[in-house]
Amino acid sequence: MSMSRLAHATRMLRPVGGQRLLRPAAACQAVRRWGSSGLPPPITALTDDEEMMRDSAAKFAQEMLAPRTIAMDRAGQMDAEVVQALFENGLMGIEVPQESGGMGLGFTAACLAVEEVAKVDPGVAVVLDIQNTLLVTAFRRYGTEEQRAAYLGRLATDTLGSFCLSEPESGSDAFALKTRARREGGDWIIEGSKCWISNAQQAGLFVVFANAAPEKGHRGITAFVMERDNPGLQVGKKEDKLGIRASSTCELNFDACRVPESAMLGELGQGYKISMDLLNEGRIGIGAQMVGLAQGAYDYALRYICTRKQFGRPVADFQGMQFQYARARMEIEAARLLVYNAARLKESGRPFVQEAAMAKLKSSEVAGDVSSQCIDWLGGVGFTREFAAEKFYRDAKIGTIYEGTSNIQLATIGKLVRASYDDA
């Protein structure tokens, strides 16, 4: 074969987009654990710190959440003791440096914590996810030195935050937002409204996206930090949701909210980039939430069918059932690997947007499918509110909607795949 034909063949066999799974810096401990062969460790290999965080989150979920989950769901209200315990157990500042009161760990550790908490209560897991993957990251990456000093410690130890982007006419089309910011002296005046704002009922800090230069379109969108006690801020109606009911979702109204110049997060007009960068990472966190939800529903149902007997034997021993739960287990593991891979890519500084979209899409579909099957496996009792299977099923539905609908994920994947063939 000629050198030119060999080069062409090599290009054709190369993974499209040039993606290779390389060893992430955060996995050094795992590399040592898996030997010195020079091969990268499995995606599921964790560092000692990551294992510690996973186990700590799992213990927290079983001891603190499990006894309260059903009551919080029925009340549609987060137990104040749960929020306090999230802070006390270090779960709200996983990537916050230790000197600021956080755990000083990495992005994968945060995803592991979200997954473990979601196995018991996905509604609490989303609180943890938003705090770590959106709010903390926003200040770590885009905050000034003064902002990081003022807010990271609070986010890690006692203050819940909200990410305020969505509006009545600005959902998937996030850049169509109508909230405005105008200068007045040395301050900014923010006016408008937001909807579907998670954590708003309990939040003490809000990152608000407003257009400071409407004539520039989305290039005028800017992020601002706002305290809850701002006189013009009103937390409005709390939504009565189908699932993740413990997590509050509210409307916000801004009536001439005055904030100082120092409240600007990032640069003027950088808000659209900030929001998209954060949401791309946040999708991995939602993927972790959905994987945890699917695993939690699966474990719940398997424990039941392994003890429930029909025709003199456990339901789980029938081959027809085994085929179903074998396939479900395979789908959960496939979704988990997508999430872990996206997390490692992000953590190691390589492109991850396509992988994040795939992880979020697949995991949300798996969560919906598996939680539905779990109700079938339980039979009639699965259809009652006395058993947790129906809660997992209701909680799963949000996965295909928030932080980018399934169609948005498909559009993202399709666009990046198409572009990769132009570069091939």
Side-chain angles (χ1 to χ4, degrees):
M1 181 182 291
S2 70
M3 291 301 294
S4 61
R5 291 179 64 188
L6 177 61
H8 175 72
T10 302
R11 285 197 300 271
M12 293 301 292
L13 290 171
R14 184 181 62 200
V16 173
Q19 291 287 346
R20 292 191 300 131
L21 180 60
L22 301 177
R23 182 183 305 150
C28 290
Q29 295 171 348
V31 171
R32 290 195 295 271
R33 179 180 303 168
W34 285 89
S36 56
S37 65
L39 296 174
I43 289 295
T44 52
L46 305 177
T47 67
D48 293 339
D49 286 341
E50 288 166 348
E51 287 188 350
M52 176 204 68
M53 176 53 65
R54 179 198 62 192
D55 296 345
S56 177
K59 182 179 180 181
F60 167 84
Q62 288 299 328
E63 295 181 357
M64 172 59 69
L65 298 184
R68 297 169 169 83
T69 292
I70 298 301
M72 290 193 299
D73 177 71
R74 292 179 179 174
Q77 187 72 33
M78 184 80 68
D79 190 325
E81 292 183 358
V82 167
V83 177
Q84 181 180 354
L86 285 167
F87 286 110
E88 291 175 350
N89 283 270
L91 292 170
M92 299 299 262
I94 296 172
E95 292 188 84
V96 173
Q98 291 183 350
E99 57 268 27
S100 297
M103 299 294 291
L105 300 178
F107 183 75
T108 299
C111 290
L112 291 167
V114 171
E115 179 184 350
E116 292 301 322
V117 171
K119 290 178 182 179
V120 176
D121 195 336
V124 177
V126 72
V127 174
L128 189 159
D129 174 54
I130 291 170
Q131 188 87 348
N132 284 282
T133 68
L134 296 183
L135 276 303
V136 167
T137 303
F139 286 100
R140 285 179 59 243
R141 181 173 302 160
Y142 299 104
T144 63
E145 184 176 343
E146 292 76 18
Q147 288 171 333
R148 291 194 295 271
Y151 299 118
L152 283 178
R154 291 173 58 190
L155 289 171
T157 59
D158 61 21
T159 303
L160 200 60
S162 275
F163 184 83
C164 310
L165 180 64
S166 295
E167 297 182 4
E169 297 181 16
S170 174
S172 293
D173 183 10
F175 296 155
L177 59 84
K178 304 296 184 186
T179 299
R180 297 289 185 253
R182 58 180 173 82
R183 286 188 186 275
E184 187 173 283
D187 297 333
W188 288 92
I189 306 299
I190 299 175
E191 297 186 271
S193 63
K194 300 288 181 180
C195 63
W196 312 116
I197 305 304
S198 298
N199 299 347
Q201 190 175 51
Q202 299 93 353
L205 195 66
F206 300 83
V207 173
V208 180
F209 292 86
N211 201 320
E215 69 280 3
K216 296 182 180 180
H218 70 272
R219 297 189 183 279
I221 297 174
T222 304
F224 297 90
V225 183
M226 187 178 297
E227 298 280 356
R228 188 182 184 90
D229 61 3
N230 190 297
L233 173 62
Q234 179 185 3
V235 178
K237 182 186 75 169
K238 178 175 174 290
E239 301 293 343
D240 187 11
K241 304 193 301 292
L242 171 71
I244 57 166
R245 289 174 53 79
S247 166
S248 65
T249 304
C250 305
E251 296 177 350
L252 294 178
N253 294 298
F254 309 103
D255 183 11
C257 291
R258 182 180 295 272
V259 296
E261 180 74 23
S262 61
M264 185 184 297
L265 183 63
E267 299 175 3
L268 183 66
Q270 196 183 18
Y272 78 99
K273 181 182 185 302
I274 292 174
S275 63
M276 291 301 102
D277 285 351
L278 293 175
L279 288 174
N280 283 331
E281 296 183 20
R283 287 166 182 167
I284 305 174
I286 296 301
Q289 179 203 22
M290 291 294 114
V291 167
L293 187 158
Q295 188 69 62
Y298 184 90
D299 292 343
Y300 184 85
L302 262 291
R303 284 192 290 268
Y304 180 84
I305 64 175
C306 285
T307 56
R308 165 75 167 164
K309 291 185 177 181
Q310 290 288 279
F311 305 102
R313 58 196 293 207
V315 173
D317 289 352
F318 290 92
Q319 188 182 62
M321 288 299 301
Q322 291 176 339
F323 286 175
Q324 292 179 52
Y325 62 74
R327 183 170 294 278
R329 181 60 177 265
M330 175 186 69
E331 290 293 320
I332 295 171
E333 190 64 15
R336 179 177 286 114
L337 293 176
L338 283 170
V339 170
Y340 286 16
N341 182 52
R344 289 300 191 200
L345 287 171
K346 182 268 170 187
E347 203 167 45
S348 60
R350 281 187 283 277
F352 66 91
V353 173
Q354 177 178 299
E355 288 76 10
M358 289 178 172
K360 198 263 188 184
L361 176 64
K362 179 64 174 179
S363 61
S364 62
E365 291 178 346
V366 169
D369 291 343
V370 171
S371 62
S372 176
Q373 289 183 73
C374 288
I375 291 177
D376 295 338
W377 299 344
L378 266 66
V381 296
F383 198 65
T384 69
R385 298 195 68 186
E386 292 182 38
F387 286 69
E390 62 86 30
K391 179 185 181 299
F392 283 117
Y393 180 63
R394 288 186 287 107
D395 288 349
K397 187 57 200 170
I398 192 61
T400 61
I401 299 171
Y402 64 6
E403 295 208 27
T405 65
S406 292
N407 280 344
I408 291 294
Q409 307 312 315
L410 288 167
T412 299
I413 296 165
K415 178 181 178 181
L416 292 170
V417 168
R418 179 67 183 87
S420 72
Y421 277 86
D422 286 337
D423 297 336

